[in-house]
Short mmCIF file of all heavy atoms in Angstrom, two decimals:
data_model
loop_
_atom_site.label_atom_id
_atom_site.label_comp_id
_atom_site.label_asym_id
_atom_site.label_seq_id
_atom_site.Cartn_x
_atom_site.Cartn_y
_atom_site.Cartn_z
N LEU A 423 -7.86 10.90 -18.52
CA LEU A 423 -8.75 9.84 -19.04
C LEU A 423 -8.01 8.74 -19.65
O LEU A 423 -8.23 7.52 -19.35
CB LEU A 423 -9.84 10.39 -19.95
CG LEU A 423 -11.01 11.14 -19.39
CD1 LEU A 423 -11.95 11.52 -20.53
CD2 LEU A 423 -11.84 10.29 -18.36
N ALA A 424 -7.09 9.06 -20.43
CA ALA A 424 -6.28 8.15 -21.17
C ALA A 424 -5.43 7.30 -20.13
O ALA A 424 -5.28 6.15 -20.30
CB ALA A 424 -5.30 8.76 -22.15
N ALA A 425 -4.78 8.03 -19.18
CA ALA A 425 -3.89 7.35 -18.25
C ALA A 425 -4.90 6.48 -17.34
O ALA A 425 -4.27 5.32 -16.99
CB ALA A 425 -3.20 8.40 -17.36
N GLU A 426 -5.98 6.86 -17.03
CA GLU A 426 -6.85 6.07 -16.03
C GLU A 426 -7.41 4.91 -16.69
O GLU A 426 -7.66 3.78 -16.04
CB GLU A 426 -7.89 6.91 -15.45
CG GLU A 426 -7.32 7.92 -14.40
CD GLU A 426 -8.45 8.88 -13.95
OE1 GLU A 426 -9.57 8.81 -14.35
OE2 GLU A 426 -8.09 9.75 -13.13
N HIS A 427 -7.77 4.98 -18.06
CA HIS A 427 -8.65 4.10 -18.59
C HIS A 427 -7.92 3.22 -19.74
O HIS A 427 -8.60 2.27 -20.21
CB HIS A 427 -10.02 4.63 -19.13
CG HIS A 427 -10.70 5.27 -18.05
ND1 HIS A 427 -11.59 4.42 -17.16
CD2 HIS A 427 -10.89 6.55 -17.58
CE1 HIS A 427 -12.10 5.29 -16.26
NE2 HIS A 427 -11.76 6.55 -16.56
N ALA A 428 -6.80 3.71 -20.21
CA ALA A 428 -6.24 3.08 -21.44
C ALA A 428 -4.65 3.03 -21.19
O ALA A 428 -3.89 3.03 -22.24
CB ALA A 428 -6.57 3.76 -22.60
N LEU A 429 -4.11 2.89 -20.03
CA LEU A 429 -2.73 2.97 -19.94
C LEU A 429 -1.97 1.72 -20.63
O LEU A 429 -0.89 1.94 -21.16
CB LEU A 429 -2.34 2.83 -18.33
CG LEU A 429 -0.95 3.11 -17.94
CD1 LEU A 429 -0.54 4.59 -18.45
CD2 LEU A 429 -0.73 2.98 -16.43
N HIS A 430 -2.64 0.72 -20.75
CA HIS A 430 -2.15 -0.39 -21.53
C HIS A 430 -1.94 -0.27 -22.91
O HIS A 430 -1.15 -0.91 -23.63
CB HIS A 430 -2.96 -1.71 -21.24
CG HIS A 430 -4.48 -1.49 -21.67
ND1 HIS A 430 -5.31 -0.84 -20.87
CD2 HIS A 430 -5.08 -1.85 -22.84
CE1 HIS A 430 -6.51 -0.66 -21.50
NE2 HIS A 430 -6.39 -1.33 -22.74
N ASP A 431 -2.62 0.77 -23.46
CA ASP A 431 -2.39 1.20 -24.92
C ASP A 431 -1.48 2.32 -25.19
O ASP A 431 -1.35 2.73 -26.36
CB ASP A 431 -3.81 1.46 -25.52
CG ASP A 431 -4.76 0.27 -25.68
OD1 ASP A 431 -4.12 -0.69 -26.07
OD2 ASP A 431 -5.88 0.44 -25.39
N VAL A 432 -0.86 2.88 -24.17
CA VAL A 432 -0.17 4.16 -24.17
C VAL A 432 1.31 3.95 -24.49
O VAL A 432 1.97 3.29 -23.73
CB VAL A 432 -0.27 4.90 -22.96
CG1 VAL A 432 0.61 6.17 -22.96
CG2 VAL A 432 -1.74 5.52 -22.84
N ASP A 433 1.86 4.41 -25.55
CA ASP A 433 3.27 4.43 -25.90
C ASP A 433 3.66 5.82 -25.52
O ASP A 433 4.82 6.08 -25.14
CB ASP A 433 3.53 4.18 -27.36
CG ASP A 433 3.46 2.71 -27.65
OD1 ASP A 433 3.44 1.90 -26.73
OD2 ASP A 433 3.24 2.40 -28.87
N ASP A 434 2.78 6.87 -25.69
CA ASP A 434 3.07 8.29 -25.51
C ASP A 434 1.83 9.12 -25.40
O ASP A 434 0.92 8.92 -26.19
CB ASP A 434 4.07 8.84 -26.53
CG ASP A 434 4.78 10.09 -26.11
OD1 ASP A 434 4.71 10.52 -25.02
OD2 ASP A 434 5.47 10.66 -27.05
N VAL A 435 1.78 10.11 -24.53
CA VAL A 435 0.71 11.10 -24.41
C VAL A 435 1.38 12.41 -24.21
O VAL A 435 2.35 12.50 -23.32
CB VAL A 435 -0.37 10.70 -23.53
CG1 VAL A 435 -1.15 9.38 -23.70
CG2 VAL A 435 0.19 10.56 -22.07
N TRP A 436 0.86 13.43 -24.79
CA TRP A 436 1.38 14.80 -24.45
C TRP A 436 0.34 15.86 -25.02
O TRP A 436 -0.65 15.54 -25.72
CB TRP A 436 2.74 14.98 -25.05
CG TRP A 436 2.93 15.17 -26.52
CD1 TRP A 436 3.12 16.36 -27.19
CD2 TRP A 436 2.74 14.18 -27.64
NE1 TRP A 436 3.33 16.17 -28.50
CE2 TRP A 436 2.99 14.83 -28.87
CE3 TRP A 436 2.60 12.89 -27.68
CZ2 TRP A 436 3.08 14.21 -30.18
CZ3 TRP A 436 2.45 12.21 -28.85
CH2 TRP A 436 2.83 12.82 -30.00
N ARG A 437 0.71 17.08 -24.81
CA ARG A 437 -0.28 18.18 -25.27
C ARG A 437 0.41 19.33 -25.61
O ARG A 437 1.59 19.60 -25.14
CB ARG A 437 -1.34 18.40 -24.01
CG ARG A 437 -0.50 18.91 -22.69
CD ARG A 437 -1.54 19.08 -21.63
NE ARG A 437 -0.73 19.22 -20.42
CZ ARG A 437 -1.25 19.72 -19.24
NH1 ARG A 437 -2.34 20.33 -19.20
NH2 ARG A 437 -0.44 19.68 -18.23
N ILE A 438 -0.27 20.28 -26.41
CA ILE A 438 0.24 21.58 -26.68
C ILE A 438 -0.92 22.52 -26.40
O ILE A 438 -2.05 22.15 -26.60
CB ILE A 438 0.57 21.69 -28.16
CG1 ILE A 438 1.21 22.99 -28.45
CG2 ILE A 438 -0.47 21.41 -29.05
CD1 ILE A 438 2.00 23.08 -29.80
N ALA A 439 -0.62 23.67 -25.72
CA ALA A 439 -1.51 24.69 -25.43
C ALA A 439 -0.89 26.04 -25.56
O ALA A 439 0.21 26.14 -25.98
CB ALA A 439 -2.11 24.37 -24.05
N THR A 440 -1.57 27.02 -24.92
CA THR A 440 -0.80 28.43 -24.92
C THR A 440 -0.13 28.55 -23.64
O THR A 440 -0.39 27.79 -22.58
CB THR A 440 -1.95 29.46 -25.11
OG1 THR A 440 -2.77 29.50 -24.00
CG2 THR A 440 -2.75 29.38 -26.42
N ALA A 441 0.77 29.46 -23.67
CA ALA A 441 1.60 29.71 -22.39
C ALA A 441 0.63 30.29 -21.35
O ALA A 441 -0.50 30.85 -21.70
CB ALA A 441 2.74 30.68 -22.82
N ASP A 442 1.18 30.28 -20.19
CA ASP A 442 0.41 30.82 -18.95
C ASP A 442 0.68 32.38 -19.05
O ASP A 442 1.45 32.80 -18.23
CB ASP A 442 0.78 30.25 -17.65
CG ASP A 442 0.38 28.87 -17.54
OD1 ASP A 442 -0.74 28.54 -18.07
OD2 ASP A 442 1.02 28.05 -16.95
N HIS A 443 0.12 32.95 -20.06
CA HIS A 443 0.38 34.39 -20.17
C HIS A 443 -0.92 35.03 -20.85
O HIS A 443 -1.52 34.34 -21.65
CB HIS A 443 1.54 34.47 -21.24
CG HIS A 443 2.09 35.91 -21.45
ND1 HIS A 443 1.47 36.82 -22.35
CD2 HIS A 443 3.15 36.51 -20.92
CE1 HIS A 443 2.09 37.89 -22.31
NE2 HIS A 443 3.20 37.74 -21.50
N PRO A 444 -1.25 36.33 -20.64
CA PRO A 444 -2.26 36.89 -21.40
C PRO A 444 -2.08 36.88 -22.90
O PRO A 444 -0.92 36.95 -23.26
CB PRO A 444 -2.26 38.43 -20.84
CG PRO A 444 -1.64 38.31 -19.43
CD PRO A 444 -0.58 37.21 -19.53
#
Side-chain angles (χ1 to χ4, degrees):
L423 284 177
E426 289 176 356
H427 300 284
L429 191 59
H430 54 283
D431 287 321
V432 172
D433 287 341
D434 197 6
V435 293
W436 76 106
R437 58 183 163 156
I438 187 172
T440 64
D442 291 327
H443 186 283

